[in-house]
Amino acid sequence: MSAQIKMPALGESVTEGTVTTWLKQVGDAVEADEPILEVSTDKVDTEVPAPAAGVLESIEVGEDETVAVGTVLGYIGDGSSSSDEQSVPDCAQNTSSPAPGETAPVCAPAPVPAETASAPDTHPQQPSYASSALPAAGTDCTAYVTPVVRRLAKELNVDLSGITGTGVGGRIRRQDVKAAADAARQAAREKAEAALGTPAPSVHTSSCAAGSVKAELADKAAAAAALRGTRQKMTGLRKTIAKRMTESLQTSAQLTTVMEVDVTRIVALRAKAKDSFAAREGVKLTYLPFFVKAATEALKAHPIINSSVEENEIVYHSGQHIGIAVDSPKGLFVPVIRNAGDLNIAGISRAISDLAKRTRDGSISAGELSGSTFTVTNTGSVGALFDTPIINQPNVAILGTGAIFKAPGVVMDQDGNETISIRSKCFLAISYDHRIIDGADASRYLRDVKMRLEEADFGAEIGL
């Protein structure tokens, strides 16, 4: 009997999902619990494991198709029902047309004639879901290409038609695809270096070791060369992010207020406590927990900032559930620290570390990505001074924390004398829903966050 692969339920409120990528093709052997496809919902992207070991017999739902939870996506069997289809002849030994009822070999496309090579197809390759396929007219049937190699070529953006296989019978191997990808990167790097006026070292050489921004930029340009001039479909997650950002701007009357904060004392506290804190708590002490702590305490004093709008009513939330914007390889996620108002800096630090790690490795659950009442986004993590963040609905406000920088500042001594000294500063930006939050409300909230940070009375919470 065949095992069914079903669309999983990825959260209490999730009723459907989209197949984004099949990691296996029909005829491929699979192990139990091995990732077999990727699916996307409006809350999370995740891999779906194989329910049993065997052979992928059929794919019932193709990529980009959206179906209800519980829908059968494909079947895994022992392979006996499609043994004829899985018996692929060696192209090197058989180049004739298949007889009726036989399966033709899957071959690499023949090289494109020079007169047509100037117009490359900029659309990404799509995997075939057929268990067998006739070679297209003009293909070279001297090189059999396995599904694994085809997938690798797709990932590395390598055109199989330009590769001469080094395997038995001219078969294209993984090494051949990787070598072609390296050659393409080297060529792109040389082109980028030539444009910048510096010689190009080997692709295996780290130009960043020399500390040259120019060389580092050339490395990044070479790595991005495969994307330039192409088209790629949005992932399900990216489409969801795009939809939500647009809906947020259409729903709320959004305005941003910015204040400068002197965080010199915070910087000194962290420097003094970070080593003992890491040894005691098991996580690094970053600046973000200080900002989250101050923002959460201020929410208790300004409940309108920790509210939401439902039709003609304002809902004041009883708890402070803080969403933390996390930049992951798959896109932007906002996991939630539940009841952050009950946590000290150590608890907030552990929560941020755990949520960020599980978000980036894909093990975060859909339930942990919803239910926030306020959001904090660390826009300064890559050096931005401040931005105007878009509200994470149904929140009515979001706080952006900018990069910490040194600047001259006026300080007053105990005798009331003013002097200029080097200070550590940052900008805090709060975007808020002007339908229910007035500018004065936002400014009063932000002023309290600023004063709490400048006072920096956090020593007891970090072991000082």
Side-chain angles (χ1 to χ4, degrees), residues 129-363:
Y129 301 127
S131 58
S132 63
L134 293 175
T139 55
D140 178 6
C141 245
T142 61
Y144 168 62
V145 182
T146 66
V148 172
V149 171
R150 284 190 180 279
R151 181 185 172 198
L152 178 63
K154 178 184 177 183
E155 291 174 350
L156 298 180
N157 200 33
V158 171
D159 183 2
L160 291 172
S161 67
I163 298 180
T164 300
T166 60
V168 177
R171 293 186 180 185
I172 297 175
R173 305 183 301 163
R174 292 174 59 89
Q175 296 92 318
D176 300 325
V177 174
K178 290 181 178 179
D182 285 344
R185 283 196 297 269
Q186 176 66 8
R189 179 181 172 79
E190 290 173 352
K191 183 176 180 181
E193 290 281 6
L196 292 170
T198 57
S202 164
V203 291
H204 300 292
T205 301
S206 176
S207 61
C208 299
S212 169
V213 176
K214 187 177 184 180
E216 182 180 354
L217 186 58
D219 276 345
K220 292 179 180 179
L227 289 177
R228 294 195 292 273
T230 69
R231 294 188 184 187
Q232 293 193 3
K233 65 182 180 181
M234 287 187 183
T235 63
L237 175 62
R238 178 50 55 189
K239 286 188 285 188
T240 298
I241 292 173
K243 179 181 178 182
R244 286 185 173 178
M245 293 298 97
T246 302
E247 288 177 346
S248 180
L249 291 173
Q250 293 173 340
T251 299
S252 305
Q254 302 196 20
L255 183 63
T256 302
T257 295
V258 180
M259 285 189 183
E260 183 183 75
V261 182
D262 187 327
V263 291
T264 305
R265 291 179 177 176
I266 297 291
V267 171
L269 274 178
R270 176 181 174 272
K272 188 176 180 179
K274 63 180 182 179
D275 292 338
S276 59
F277 184 92
R280 182 177 63 254
E281 304 296 341
V283 294
K284 291 182 179 180
L285 179 61
T286 66
Y287 291 112
L288 184 57
F290 292 97
F291 292 110
V292 172
K293 177 65 173 176
T296 303
E297 288 182 358
L299 287 177
K300 295 179 180 180
H302 301 271
I304 188 65
I305 310 296
N306 194 53
S307 67
S308 59
V309 178
E310 292 184 7
E311 296 182 353
N312 294 321
E313 294 183 334
I314 299 174
V315 178
Y316 294 94
H317 300 292
S318 58
Q320 297 79 38
H321 308 306
I322 309 300
I324 303 295
V326 175
D327 178 28
S328 80
K330 291 184 177 181
L332 182 67
F333 290 86
V334 186
V336 181
I337 303 175
R338 307 288 176 187
N339 297 304
D342 298 335
L343 302 177
N344 59 16
I345 286 183
I348 292 172
S349 295
R350 289 192 296 269
I352 291 174
S353 176
D354 171 61
L355 290 171
K357 179 181 181 298
R358 290 191 292 114
T359 296
R360 293 188 175 109
D361 67 22
S363 62

Side-chain angles (χ1 to χ4, degrees), residues 2 9 144 196 376 447:
S2 299
Y144 168 62
L196 292 170
V376 176
R447 179 198 60 196

Side-chain angles (χ1 to χ4, degrees), residues 44-73:
V44 68
D45 283 6
T46 189
E47 294 177 335
V48 176
V55 173
L56 181 58
E57 291 186 336
S58 70
I59 289 175
E60 304 298 322
V61 179
E63 290 184 0
D64 292 330
E65 290 189 46
T66 300
V67 294
V69 169
T71 299
V72 176
L73 306 177

Side-chain angles (χ1 to χ4, degrees), residues 61-100:
V61 179
E63 290 184 0
D64 292 330
E65 290 189 46
T66 300
V67 294
V69 169
T71 299
V72 176
L73 306 177
Y75 292 92
I76 294 175
D78 58 10
S80 59
S81 63
S82 57
S83 58
D84 290 341
E85 296 176 354
Q86 297 170 40
S87 180
V88 182
D90 188 336
C91 292
Q93 300 176 7
N94 180 7
T95 60
S96 60
S97 300

